[in-house]
Amino acid sequence: MVSRVIPVEDFDLVIFGGTGDLARRKILPGLFRRYCSGQMPKDARIIGAARSEFDHDGYRTFVREAIEEFGGVDKAGCTELDSFLNQLFYTPINAKGVEGWDTLKSLMRGNVVQAFYFSVAPSLFGDLAERLHDNKIATPDSRIVVEKPFGRDLESAKELNATLREHFDETQIYRIDHYLGKETVQNLMAVRFGNILFEPLWNNKYVDHIQITVAETVSVGGRGAYYDKSGAMRDMVQNHLMQLLCLIAMEPPSQFEPDAVRDEKLKVIRALEPVEPHHIVRGQYDATPDEQSYRDDAGDPKSFTESFVAMKTHIANWRWAGVPFYMRTGKKMRARSSEIIVVFKDLNHSIFEGDDAGHRNVLTIQLQPNEGMTLDVTIKEPGPGGMRLIDVPLDMSFDEALGPDADDIPEAYERLIMDVIRGNQTLFMRGDEVEAAWAWTDPIIQGWEARRDVPKPYDAYSRGPEDAMALLHRDGRKWRDLSV
Ligand code: NAP
């Protein structure tokens, strides 16, 4: 199979925060991979901007080190690092200051696609938007890319939206949720809407329940103090898990077109039922003999912030009435695994005498550590001995199906940045979606705060608190095991 790389238009991309962690680990190595694949035009410019003092050559050396450290070179198997670096420029700029903007303007060409990546703290978004406007750098066609977190509640998200919209139209604002850039997430839409097989079964008549898991093995580590102001609900559920839920549950859009897709996602969020307090479990990881507890990592021995959350929710519409959606996410769990499983209902009558094993079709959409899908189907166990049934997975993992081309699948950030250049907002969150997601999570968080809800401790590298298991056991179900 030959992968097709379609080059994007010529562009100038300014990375505010071009010296930061995200730029070093993801954005710049990702751009280099797109360069190596032939997708990035040879005249395109990438302009780093931050307070640190660098000249162009100093910044190129900085970026070379980042690409060498974070996988760009080996992974891409590409030797064109020098020519890529020649497309890089830098200007020192303080987002709150008045200097450097003229230099930035002089580095930009004006007649190509213009994008500004705000890879800085959200408190600087407003300053950047204002200065890009006041210094007449941004045009009505410029695009801005903003990182998470987009607010910490509905009110702050509304304020942030209002600030950005003072100078930019909604069609210019690209709110990143990198989960949406994952190949499998888009494949989920291809599988649902590109095949006749699944859509007739995709409803409360045939689906028993759905599980969405984003489990990490890492602690909050050095980000403890920052994370403690947020917690799993704000950091993961309000954005990544809810976006996955939307893609699983949405109605078919009339076209694969940005607003058609985002309208359908918004309807799902608006149809989410409030979560009953007894349908949600929060947790904090305990210490091990060698490692600190969550509270130690957070630097607050009385912290009430959750490093784990599991919940059951429902979508109040015709398609999904009565189907539970279980979601869980946590730090320091048994395995690193992000997956969605769609568990179909039992057969209503089995013709196979003596077979009471409760076979079920299960569609697994795995996002991490490997991307791929499997569908468990029931077949006859091979060999003599009568009609014994077993479940086997039909494997749709990309490595198997695509062979060497699987290595060329762009990582989420690469794909999303190329979508910004193409002007395609399908995989970016619209302002009203983000606000609706906060409108659903806010009452849950406010309830915890009002009740001074104390998270349940759980063993580090486990499946989370026992109560999270009970959440499903009570319904006669169980979580998919987190395989190590
Ligand atoms: P970071 O490592 O702290 O980098 C912040 C960047 O902002 C640096 O380049 C810093 O450079 C620059 N900066 C700070 N104050 C500035 C100012 N007044 N004017 C101009 N530049 C300024 O943060 P990060 O991890 O890269 O995160 C950047 C954004 O991405 C944040 O919104 C974060 O929430 C989001 N994000 C990050 C990750 C991740 O994996 N890192 C993941 C998801 C979302 P100077 O000190 O040189 O000015």
Side-chain angles (χ1 to χ4, degrees):
M1 196 177 308
V2 179
S3 56
R4 268 184 320 134
V5 173
I6 302 170
V8 294
E9 275 179 74
D10 196 4
F11 65 85
D12 289 343
L13 169 68
V14 179
I15 309 175
F16 291 110
T19 57
D21 178 67
L22 186 67
R24 289 178 63 245
R25 282 193 309 111
K26 295 285 178 191
I27 304 173
L28 291 158
L31 284 164
F32 176 54
R33 273 170 57 86
R34 290 298 89 213
Y35 181 84
C36 294
S37 76
Q39 198 165 24
M40 197 177 125
K42 301 284 178 203
D43 290 324
R45 290 186 177 193
I46 298 163
I47 304 163
R51 290 168 308 178
S52 303
E53 289 293 335
F54 281 115
D55 56 15
H56 301 317
D57 279 341
Y59 188 58
R60 287 172 189 148
T61 305
F62 172 87
V63 175
R64 175 191 294 281
E65 287 166 7
I67 290 176
E68 283 170 356
E69 185 174 351
F70 293 107
V73 177
D74 286 352
K75 250 185 169 168
C78 169
T79 50
E80 296 175 74
L81 187 51
D82 288 329
S83 50
F84 171 75
L85 293 174
N86 279 336
Q87 296 188 223
L88 262 69
F89 301 85
Y90 184 83
T91 179
I93 272 188
N94 185 338
K96 292 180 175 294
V98 290
E99 282 165 25
W101 300 97
D102 285 345
T103 317
L104 176 62
K105 198 171 177 180
S106 69
L107 288 170
M108 302 192 68
R109 290 167 296 163
N111 55 351
V112 294
V113 171
Q114 271 191 351
F116 301 94
Y117 200 129
F118 291 7
S119 183
V120 295
S123 55
L124 297 175
F125 290 176
D127 295 299
L128 289 176
E130 193 175 293
R131 280 162 180 72
L132 286 174
H133 174 264
D134 293 354
N135 288 288
K136 299 194 172 40
I137 299 174
T139 71
D141 293 326
S142 306
R143 289 139 209 185
I144 59 169
V145 184
V146 294
E147 266 299 337
K148 80 167 214 191
F150 200 90
R152 67 183 319 277
D153 52 20
L154 177 58
E155 198 187 331
S156 54
K158 277 185 170 169
E159 273 171 26
L160 199 45
N161 272 332
T163 305
L164 295 178
R165 286 179 190 144
E166 269 178 43
H167 302 298
F168 294 92
D169 186 73
E170 182 62 36
T171 55
Q172 298 177 275
I173 306 173
Y174 290 71
R175 295 175 194 77
I176 281 216
D177 183 324
H178 70 274
Y179 269 63
L180 295 183
K182 288 184 181 290
E183 188 73 13
T184 326
V185 169
Q186 291 156 77
N187 232 328
L188 173 59
M189 288 188 273
V191 165
R192 276 194 67 191
F193 305 130
N195 294 286
I196 195 83
L197 276 183
F198 293 103
E199 203 46 31
L201 307 178
W202 213 258
N203 55 52
N204 53 8
K205 193 158 176 219
Y206 297 103
V207 174
D208 179 74
H209 74 279
I210 290 175
Q211 298 182 14
I212 304 175
T213 297
V214 178
E216 298 176 282
T217 48
V218 292
S219 67
V220 296
R223 295 168 63 226
Y226 161 82
Y227 184 94
D228 202 47
K229 295 196 200 82
S230 153
M233 191 73 177
R234 287 190 170 101
D235 193 49
M236 298 299 289
V237 177
Q238 186 272 343
N239 37 63
H240 306 317
L241 277 86
M242 285 183 77
Q243 287 295 319
L244 298 180
L245 176 90
C246 285
L247 295 176
I248 279 282
M250 71 183 187
E251 294 300 313
S254 58
Q255 284 174 311
F256 190 61
E257 182 268 315
D259 278 332
V261 171
R262 298 185 301 175
D263 285 347
E264 296 307 335
K265 281 162 57 195
L266 180 62
K267 284 184 211 163
V268 174
I269 302 176
R270 290 194 172 148
L272 275 173
E273 288 184 357
V275 181
E276 305 279 339
H278 62 283
H279 286 162
I280 192 155
V281 178
R282 304 164 77 216
Q284 279 178 341
Y285 57 79
D286 270 339
T288 68
D290 305 321
E291 293 172 35
Q292 302 201 115
S293 68
Y294 172 76
R295 288 182 169 190
D296 293 333
D297 281 340
D300 177 0
K302 293 197 181 124
S303 169
F304 283 178
T305 304
E306 75 286 353
S307 62
F308 171 97
V309 65
M311 69 181 77
K312 172 165 89 164
T313 182
H314 284 94
I315 298 173
N317 64 19
W318 275 38
R319 185 188 284 267
W320 294 117
V323 178
F325 285 73
Y326 300 99
M327 298 196 274
R328 64 177 164 167
T329 181
K331 302 277 184 199
K332 268 218 181 173
M333 295 188 65
R334 187 160 179 256
R336 174 171 175 251
S337 170
S338 299
E339 65 179 15
I340 305 167
I341 66 168
V342 181
V343 181
F344 291 92
K345 290 192 172 172
D346 289 336
L347 290 176
N348 49 18
H349 168 69
S350 173
I351 64 168
F352 303 107
E353 205 180 318
D355 178 59
D356 49 10
H359 301 286
R360 277 186 164 184
N361 297 120
V362 178
L363 179 68
T364 303
I365 301 134
Q366 192 169 56
L367 312 174
Q368 266 166 0
N370 302 310
E371 294 199 49
M373 296 194 198
T374 54
L375 176 65
D376 291 354
V377 289
T378 303
I379 61 163
K380 176 188 169 297
E381 190 176 3
M387 199 59 153
R388 290 191 311 270
L389 302 184
I390 50 166
D391 295 335
V392 292
L394 278 183
D395 195 340
M396 297 182 265
S397 77
F398 296 149
D399 286 354
E400 295 272 320
L402 303 178
D405 280 353
D407 295 339
D408 293 340
I409 295 174
E411 288 186 3
Y413 274 99
E414 303 169 35
R415 169 187 308 278
L416 293 172
I417 296 170
M418 292 300 111
D419 277 358
V420 173
I421 306 300
R422 285 194 204 94
N424 186 340
Q425 290 186 301
T426 310
L427 300 176
F428 296 84
M429 295 178 296
R430 207 168 55 190
D432 51 3
E433 261 184 85
V434 178
E435 289 181 14
W438 280 122
W440 184 74
T441 43
D442 269 5
I444 300 173
I445 297 169
Q446 285 158 4
W448 293 335
E449 285 168 359
R451 292 193 300 278
R452 297 194 52 75
D453 187 86
V454 184
K456 306 266 185 304
Y458 62 93
D459 289 344
Y461 309 113
S462 73
R463 296 174 301 178
E466 279 308 311
D467 287 15
M469 300 296 128
L471 191 65
L472 270 74
H473 289 168
R474 280 202 297 270
D475 297 345
R477 302 185 174 100
K478 62 180 181 134
W479 290 106
R480 165 71 66 88
D481 210 13
L482 288 173
S483 48
V484 213

